[in-house]
Amino acid sequence: MNTQEALTLFREKQLRINSYRLALTTMNWDSSTIAPKKGADYRNHMMAILSGELFSLYIDPEYIKLIEQLAAADDLSETESIEMKQMLKELNKERNIPKDVFVKFAQLQRDGETIWEKAKETSDYPLFKPYLQKLIDGTKRNISYRNDTRSTYASLIDDFETDMTIEKYDEFFALVKEKLVPLIHAIKEANIPAPAFLSASVPIQQQRAVVELIREYLQYPKDAGLISESVHPFSSSFSAFDNRVTVRYHENNFTSSIFALIHEVGHATYNGQVNPEYQGRHIANSMTYGMHESQSRLYENMLGRSKAFWSSLYPKVVELVDALKDVSLDEFIFGINYVTAQFYRIEADELTYPLHVLVRYEIEKDLFEGNLTTEGLDEVWADKYESYLDIRPQSTSEGILQDVHWSGGAFGYFPTYALGSAYSAQFMNKMSQDLDIDKLMENNQFDQINGWLKDNIHTFGGLYTPEQLLLRITGETFNPSYYIDYLLNKYSELYKIKL
Amino acid sequence: MNTQEALTLFREKQLRINSYRLALTTMNWDSSTIAPKKGADYRNHMMAILSGELFSLYIDPEYIKLIEQLAAADDLSETESIEMKQMLKELNKERNIPKDVFVKFAQLQRDGETIWEKAKETSDYPLFKPYLQKLIDGTKRNISYRNDTRSTYASLIDDFETDMTIEKYDEFFALVKEKLVPLIHAIKEANIPAPAFLSASVPIQQQRAVVELIREYLQYPKDAGLISESVHPFSSSFSAFDNRVTVRYHENNFTSSIFALIHEVGHATYNGQVNPEYQGRHIANSMTYGMHESQSRLYENMLGRSKAFWSSLYPKVVELVDALKDVSLDEFIFGINYVTAQFYRIEADELTYPLHVLVRYEIEKDLFEGNLTTEGLDEVWADKYESYLDIRPQSTSEGILQDVHWSGGAFGYFPTYALGSAYSAQFMNKMSQDLDIDKLMENNQFDQINGWLKDNIHTFGGLYTPEQLLLRITGETFNPSYYIDYLLNKYSELYKIKL
């Protein structure tokens, strides 16, 4: 079979695989947003079977042979060649897992999420614990089939962020700790109380109206996107023209839904601005987790928490939200950047955020390296929060049970959150050389910002590694000092602290 | 392989099939309720592929052999034996369709629905016409593989309603025409104007509150059901514990969403009250269309438009809906039973409803028997409305494009709507001998009514044919006189007309 014949046959099989993936994406979305609870058992069972069907297609010897042939071919276009090499790499990760092991793990992932939801509601870590243990064991087992010489956690790290290592993360987090902790301490000592409006009661209906206002401002399209509600906000890419987000409304924390929205729309915009010719191909969605997070963080923090973002929006928000009647724009900006140690990662301010991630990174690493077990892990979690942030969660729902990730077996995911923030600072530095970002936001021209992101980052999908993209766009490889400097400058100024 | 071994293997394959069906059910639901429009092309393509995958499982020779063995086995339980014989009958309908024909038709069904939605929005019958033609041709072609000696339309009729024939429908509709048309004429001559509240402007938010009130009253469970919105209201059974409905809100026709809700919850309650041991088995969902419609019509008309239904509810509704402030309960009851010739089947009153169905039945029959073509069919439709109901639709969106059914290739479906209404009158007659229905509704004890329906009808799922069920419950086979008498009595009394 020549390369073109192989490619045609491969694309046909890829479309078939895509049909299963879209089915599971849709079922996941449905399950997380609107599905009635009592249907969960049957639904989880069916999804596990369908995941097994999908897995069978992934490990179909004919399909694998095509990928191998195409990854070795020298007469493909450059994008096709990169795509096939990426696919071969992915394939090698999973190809030796026996189907029954895979199906069992898929069922465990679904059960894990269902049990986690229940456990979170009632702060019942012991209910979740055996599932967490099984998920860790299952993950180790899955990775053992790879015959990788690295540790399980090293492999997981690389899965979520191409070319990342434990060593690089250790260095990065050491820098975060060294530079940021003193500033956080100084801010704590300044002892400035939280603005009252942050915890004011804001009816959900007013919050929905604000969310709709911001949707328009960000130019997140209604005919190619959707805003729904779920326990934990997330974004989900159905296809080039269907990229959705969820938020969650808290009556006494209305800025939560605002920044969840901006964050998730950052993800959705990334997927929605990939070259549409890539639709259905691996590179349409093979960006790393860190890269994806860089775009959501850039939206949420670099843009969404800036004064320019709100200058034209804020008067309209005040009209919608009674609790802001007497709050000036400057007070609002200070409030949405207010630094405080609290329990929830997704509610965390920009400055303490990487320490939330650090807690998870250290626990994951120790769990997989054998230095910790699930027994009493809720207490380990609480100890770390006490030691880094000087607060101790009083229940596991505000502690170890707050995040969905582990319940679905996603270990190695968390550190990409901090890394993404660091990438975003490096991209932002470059974008602000090319565009007058503040002026564009003040003039309600978010499309210009989206345009820059599209042309420089989004359109390429997952074609390039993070290091390649950073080099291509900013002229240098990953340099965490943009992130550290950005945080030090911004927060020392906001809190009038001399460093 | 002995029967028990065959049954075990069969159940395994059935579960696998179910996983595809739940996927497609979920994607259909998503597509009809919330999915962004621009994702339709890709989504339709993926759904067509997945339908093809499902079809391959249906026609897998091993699976077919198991069904054949089990349908012939004499050592199965009675329910299992009935189930397997039903499956063999279904199988024989589709087994000879080549896969490529099937996949192409599935894609056509999806495209048809997408195009229909567009055509309906702009009243553009010519846009839809070629798809309608292809859907008719495709349906004929699909049925041609059966080697059935009956006409295509006769086969379609039997597909939607076991053991029904064109002759029986012709007789039934002749009776409907003979008995009801004079009453409709007399009511028209009485010339009583429509109560103004029917077309009053009622904000969607007030309508939503009423819908929620009725949901509670009907005891439609939140943890096993869901109310969403779509262009055309429908119900969808995901599993034993997940049965959903949609409604549509019209600002100037607020009773529309109320009766759409009651109707669709009638369907959802049927599915939700099937013996849960049947979950995932063919008989859980093999009730005929007429039987299903009998339960929704019983809810919507026999119960939902009665005075007893509203006696305790109505004061609460008045609190929610400003437009009802000065409307008495009796005026409301007259209004929701007001008889008028208008264009939309789903908005039709109970009395003119069967004539809407008749128009569709006659057109379908003539299309398939070769007495009509799609060319100019919008005019044929308009002519029939003028001749039966004395009104002529001025656009195709209020004419031939109003219903979704044909756009998905569902021919032979419509007549079951009228038949279901007729079944429901026969069931209602029996239920009113066993229960004091009015008192139960007045006392807010809808669970007792649901209990009767469950024990007598719902729990059996599709185990029995309509005739078997009617005989079992009412002591006689289908007798349309209950329906005719019910309508004649109710409406002659309401309009004070001597027959």
Side-chain angles (χ1 to χ4, degrees):
Chain A
M1 205 182 320
N2 72 31
T3 301
Q4 277 315 309
E5 288 163 351
L7 189 62
T8 303
L9 198 56
F10 165 76
R11 290 284 180 225
E12 208 173 279
K13 287 179 186 288
Q14 193 177 34
L15 274 181
R16 194 172 163 212
I17 283 175
N18 287 348
S19 74
Y20 288 78
R21 292 178 59 175
L22 184 61
L24 286 162
T25 298
T26 309
M27 293 168 98
N28 259 317
W29 170 268
D30 182 81
S31 173
S32 304
T33 53
I34 52 171
K37 278 204 192 325
K38 280 194 179 170
D41 286 347
Y42 184 77
R43 188 169 61 240
N44 290 351
H45 187 181
M46 294 305 108
M47 288 178 75
I49 293 175
L50 210 62
S51 300
E53 298 285 289
L54 174 56
F55 185 69
S56 297
L57 297 181
Y58 280 134
I59 57 163
D60 166 25
E62 254 193 82
Y63 180 65
I64 291 176
K65 248 173 67 186
L66 288 168
I67 293 175
E68 285 172 334
Q69 176 183 346
L70 291 164
D74 55 8
D75 51 348
L76 282 175
S77 73
E78 197 198 334
T79 61
E80 283 164 343
S81 177
I82 292 173
E83 182 187 7
M84 298 317 304
K85 287 184 175 71
Q86 282 184 9
M87 292 201 76
L88 185 62
K89 192 184 159 195
E90 287 302 312
L91 176 65
N92 287 334
K93 289 180 191 165
E94 297 202 333
R95 66 195 299 176
N96 298 319
I97 303 176
K99 184 173 173 185
D100 63 318
V101 172
F102 184 87
V103 172
K104 226 176 125 184
F105 191 74
Q107 174 72 49
L108 179 62
Q109 288 174 302
R110 303 235 59 80
D111 290 345
E113 285 199 31
T114 304
I115 294 289
W116 164 77
E117 255 192 58
K118 277 188 209 163
K120 189 184 174 187
E121 264 173 31
T122 53
S123 272
D124 188 354
Y125 174 66
L127 176 67
F128 180 57
K129 198 185 70 175
Y131 287 85
L132 179 58
Q133 187 60 54
K134 279 186 225 172
L135 284 158
I136 293 166
D137 296 342
T139 301
K140 283 184 179 167
R141 186 165 176 193
N142 286 346
I143 297 218
S144 71
Y145 292 105
R146 292 188 195 173
N147 302 318
D148 193 323
T149 54
R150 298 173 298 180
S151 72
T152 303
Y153 194 61
S155 298
L156 288 168
I157 287 294
D158 189 27
D159 284 356
F160 282 97
E161 197 64 21
T162 311
D163 299 338
M164 271 306 287
T165 62
I166 294 178
E167 293 67 33
K168 284 193 206 171
Y169 268 132
D170 282 347
E171 269 176 46
F172 170 61
F173 281 114
L175 192 67
V176 163
K177 254 198 278 195
E178 180 202 331
K179 299 287 187 182
L180 300 185
V181 168
L183 177 58
I184 292 170
H185 271 268
I187 288 173
K188 199 182 175 188
E189 275 158 27
N191 206 16
I192 299 173
F197 77 84
L198 287 175
S199 51
S201 167
V202 176
I204 305 302
Q205 231 173 302
Q206 294 182 10
Q207 297 192 39
R208 276 191 231 276
V210 174
V211 155
E212 176 56 22
L213 187 70
I214 297 171
R215 187 198 64 69
E216 276 175 38
Y217 178 76
L218 296 172
Q219 308 196 21
Y220 174 52
K222 270 196 170 171
D223 57 1
L226 181 69
I227 301 170
S228 241
E229 291 172 46
S230 63
V231 174
H232 191 101
F234 68 97
S235 71
S236 182
S237 181
F238 284 54
S239 66
F241 301 108
D242 183 354
N243 290 287
R244 310 184 186 180
V245 304
T246 70
V247 296
R248 187 180 175 186
Y249 295 103
H250 303 269
E251 182 146 340
N252 290 298
N253 182 2
F254 78 99
T255 60
S256 166
S257 61
I258 291 176
F259 290 98
L261 178 80
I262 301 173
H263 178 100
E264 301 304 341
V265 171
H267 285 302
T269 304
Y270 196 171
N271 287 111
Q273 295 202 124
V274 171
N275 184 346
E277 284 172 24
Y278 294 177
Q279 173 157 276
R281 289 171 57 182
H282 183 72
I283 49 174
N285 209 4
S286 66
M287 40 286 244
T288 66
Y289 284 75
M291 270 309 300
H292 234 304
E293 195 66 9
S294 79
Q295 299 309 291
S296 57
R297 292 279 152 192
L298 193 147
Y299 253 58
E300 177 192 349
N301 291 330
M302 312 265 156
L303 303 172
R305 295 185 199 269
S306 72
K307 190 170 172 177
F309 184 97
W310 292 97
S311 66
S312 73
L313 262 183
Y314 189 66
K316 295 178 201 160
V317 174
V318 172
E319 272 175 45
L320 295 170
V321 178
D322 299 334
L324 291 175
K325 284 282 167 285
D326 300 320
V327 179
S328 73
L329 175 59
D330 281 331
E331 287 167 325
F332 181 74
I333 298 300
F334 180 78
I336 62 175
N337 287 289
Y338 183 73
V339 175
T340 185
Q342 52 76 55
F343 300 118
Y344 296 104
R345 178 185 60 82
I346 66 161
E347 307 293 342
D349 61 83
E350 194 179 8
L351 188 61
T352 58
Y353 187 85
L355 295 172
H356 288 264
V357 175
L358 176 60
V359 168
R360 289 151 178 81
Y361 172 68
E362 289 183 345
I363 288 178
E364 281 186 348
K365 195 170 70 166
D366 282 344
L367 275 172
F368 277 89
E369 311 274 293
N371 304 321
L372 269 177
T373 69
T374 53
E375 185 62 41
L377 200 66
D378 50 338
E379 290 301 313
V380 173
W381 179 287
D383 290 346
K384 283 188 187 286
Y385 265 79
E386 197 159 9
S387 130
Y388 291 123
L389 292 168
D390 238 356
I391 50 170
R392 188 173 188 88
Q394 295 305 305
S395 74
T396 50
S397 74
E398 64 184 18
I400 193 167
L401 294 177
Q402 70 182 261
D403 288 310
V404 69
H405 305 63
W406 291 344
S407 76
F411 304 104
Y413 187 155
F414 281 123
T416 67
Y417 284 140
L419 187 67
S421 301
Y423 290 162
S424 75
Q426 193 167 339
F427 289 131
M428 185 70 181
N429 182 267
K430 173 63 173 132
M431 181 162 67
S432 62
Q433 289 163 20
D434 295 351
L435 301 178
D436 187 343
I437 299 171
D438 286 359
K439 203 175 153 194
L440 290 171
M441 291 196 288
E442 284 155 13
N443 293 341
N444 213 355
Q445 292 178 290
F446 217 86
D447 54 326
Q448 300 287 313
I449 294 169
N450 286 336
W452 188 94
L453 293 170
K454 179 181 178 178
D455 294 342
N456 286 280
I457 302 172
H458 298 179
T459 192
F460 303 112
L463 193 63
Y464 302 119
T465 66
E467 288 291 29
Q468 287 171 334
L469 260 183
L470 284 162
L471 187 62
R472 180 188 175 104
I473 299 162
T474 72
E476 56 183 319
T477 54
F478 176 51
N479 180 351
S481 66
Y482 291 104
Y483 179 51
I484 305 294
D485 290 349
Y486 159 79
L487 290 175
L488 294 179
N489 289 335
K490 173 173 174 179
Y491 287 94
S492 63
E493 197 178 308
L494 197 72
Y495 278 87
K496 300 179 178 60
I497 286 168
K498 264 216 169 93
L499 290 174
Chain B
M1 202 180 325
N2 70 33
T3 302
Q4 278 314 309
E5 287 163 351
L7 188 62
T8 303
L9 197 56
F10 166 76
R11 291 283 180 224
E12 209 173 277
K13 287 179 185 289
Q14 192 178 35
L15 274 181
R16 195 172 161 214
I17 283 174
N18 287 348
S19 74
Y20 288 77
R21 293 178 58 175
L22 184 61
L24 287 162
T25 297
T26 310
M27 293 168 97
N28 259 317
W29 169 268
D30 182 82
S31 174
S32 304
T33 53
I34 52 172
K37 279 203 191 328
K38 280 193 178 172
D41 285 347
Y42 184 77
R43 190 168 60 240
N44 290 351
H45 187 181
M46 294 304 109
M47 288 177 74
I49 294 175
L50 212 61
S51 300
E53 296 287 289
L54 174 56
F55 184 68
S56 298
L57 296 180
Y58 280 134
I59 57 163
D60 167 25
E62 255 191 81
Y63 180 66
I64 291 177
K65 248 173 66 186
L66 287 169
I67 292 174
E68 286 171 333
Q69 177 183 344
L70 290 165
D74 55 8
D75 52 347
L76 282 175
S77 74
E78 197 198 335
T79 61
E80 284 163 344
S81 177
I82 292 173
E83 182 186 7
M84 298 316 306
K85 287 184 174 70
Q86 282 184 9
M87 293 200 76
L88 185 62
K89 190 183 162 197
E90 286 302 313
L91 176 64
N92 286 335
K93 290 180 191 164
E94 297 202 330
R95 66 194 302 177
N96 297 320
I97 304 175
K99 184 173 172 183
D100 64 318
V101 172
F102 184 87
V103 171
K104 226 176 126 185
F105 191 73
Q107 174 72 49
L108 179 63
Q109 288 174 301
R110 302 236 59 80
D111 290 346
E113 286 199 30
T114 304
I115 294 291
W116 164 75
E117 254 192 60
K118 278 188 208 160
K120 188 185 173 186
E121 265 174 30
T122 52
S123 272
D124 188 354
Y125 174 67
L127 177 66
F128 179 57
K129 195 185 71 175
Y131 288 84
L132 178 59
Q133 187 60 55
K134 280 187 224 170
L135 283 159
I136 292 167
D137 295 342
T139 301
K140 282 185 181 168
R141 186 167 176 188
N142 286 345
I143 298 223
S144 71
Y145 291 105
R146 292 188 195 173
N147 302 318
D148 193 323
T149 54
R150 296 174 298 181
S151 72
T152 303
Y153 194 60
S155 298
L156 288 168
I157 286 294
D158 188 28
D159 284 357
F160 282 98
E161 198 64 20
T162 311
D163 300 336
M164 272 305 286
T165 62
I166 294 179
E167 291 68 31
K168 284 193 208 171
Y169 269 132
D170 283 348
E171 269 175 48
F172 170 62
F173 281 115
L175 192 65
V176 162
K177 254 197 278 193
E178 179 202 333
K179 300 286 186 179
L180 301 185
V181 169
L183 178 58
I184 293 171
H185 270 268
I187 289 173
K188 203 183 171 189
E189 276 158 27
N191 206 16
I192 300 173
F197 78 86
L198 287 175
S199 52
S201 166
V202 177
I204 305 300
Q205 229 171 303
Q206 295 182 8
Q207 296 192 39
R208 275 192 232 278
V210 173
V211 156
E212 176 56 22
L213 186 70
I214 297 171
R215 188 199 64 69
E216 276 176 41
Y217 177 75
L218 296 172
Q219 308 199 20
Y220 174 52
K222 270 195 170 171
D223 56 1
L226 181 69
I227 301 169
S228 243
E229 289 171 48
S230 63
V231 174
H232 191 101
F234 67 98
S235 71
S236 181
S237 181
F238 284 55
S239 65
F241 302 108
D242 184 352
N243 289 288
R244 310 185 186 180
V245 304
T246 69
V247 295
R248 187 180 176 186
Y249 296 103
H250 302 269
E251 184 147 336
N252 289 297
N253 181 2
F254 79 99
T255 60
S256 165
S257 60
I258 290 176
F259 290 98
L261 178 79
I262 301 174
H263 179 98
E264 300 305 340
V265 170
H267 284 303
T269 303
Y270 196 172
N271 287 113
Q273 295 202 126
V274 171
N275 184 347
E277 284 173 24
Y278 295 177
Q279 173 157 274
R281 290 170 57 183
H282 183 71
I283 48 174
N285 210 3
S286 64
M287 41 285 245
T288 65
Y289 283 74
M291 270 308 300
H292 233 306
E293 195 67 9
S294 78
Q295 299 308 292
S296 58
R297 291 279 151 191
L298 192 149
Y299 253 57
E300 178 192 348
N301 291 331
M302 312 265 155
L303 302 173
R305 295 187 200 269
S306 72
K307 188 168 175 181
F309 183 96
W310 291 98
S311 65
S312 72
L313 262 181
Y314 190 65
K316 296 177 200 159
V317 174
V318 171
E319 273 176 43
L320 295 170
V321 178
D322 299 334
L324 291 176
K325 283 284 168 283
D326 300 319
V327 178
S328 72
L329 175 58
D330 281 331
E331 287 167 326
F332 181 74
I333 298 301
F334 180 78
I336 62 176
N337 286 290
Y338 183 74
V339 174
T340 185
Q342 50 79 54
F343 301 118
Y344 296 104
R345 179 185 57 82
I346 66 161
E347 308 293 342
D349 61 83
E350 195 179 7
L351 187 61
T352 56
Y353 188 84
L355 295 172
H356 288 264
V357 175
L358 176 61
V359 168
R360 291 150 177 81
Y361 172 67
E362 289 183 345
I363 289 178
E364 283 186 347
K365 196 171 67 165
D366 281 345
L367 275 172
F368 277 88
E369 310 275 292
N371 305 320
L372 270 177
T373 70
T374 54
E375 186 63 41
L377 201 65
D378 50 339
E379 290 300 315
V380 173
W381 178 287
D383 291 345
K384 283 187 188 283
Y385 265 78
E386 199 160 5
S387 130
Y388 291 123
L389 292 167
D390 236 356
I391 50 171
R392 188 175 188 87
Q394 294 307 304
S395 74
T396 51
S397 75
E398 63 184 17
I400 194 168
L401 294 176
Q402 70 182 262
D403 288 310
V404 69
H405 306 63
W406 291 345
S407 77
F411 304 102
Y413 188 154
F414 281 123
T416 67
Y417 284 141
L419 187 66
S421 300
Y423 290 163
S424 76
Q426 194 169 339
F427 289 130
M428 185 71 180
N429 182 267
K430 172 66 173 127
M431 181 162 68
S432 62
Q433 289 162 20
D434 294 352
L435 300 178
D436 187 342
I437 298 172
D438 285 359
K439 202 173 154 195
L440 290 172
M441 291 199 288
E442 281 156 15
N443 292 342
N444 212 355
Q445 290 179 289
F446 217 86
D447 53 327
Q448 301 287 314
I449 294 168
N450 286 337
W452 189 94
L453 293 170
K454 178 180 178 180
D455 295 342
N456 286 280
I457 302 172
H458 298 178
T459 192
F460 302 113
L463 194 61
Y464 302 119
T465 65
E467 288 291 29
Q468 286 170 336
L469 261 182
L470 285 161
L471 187 63
R472 182 190 174 100
I473 298 162
T474 71
E476 56 183 319
T477 54
F478 175 51
N479 180 350
S481 65
Y482 290 105
Y483 179 52
I484 304 295
D485 291 348
Y486 158 81
L487 290 175
L488 294 180
N489 289 335
K490 174 173 171 178
Y491 287 94
S492 62
E493 197 177 311
L494 198 72
Y495 278 88
K496 299 178 180 59
I497 287 170
K498 262 215 171 91
L499 291 175

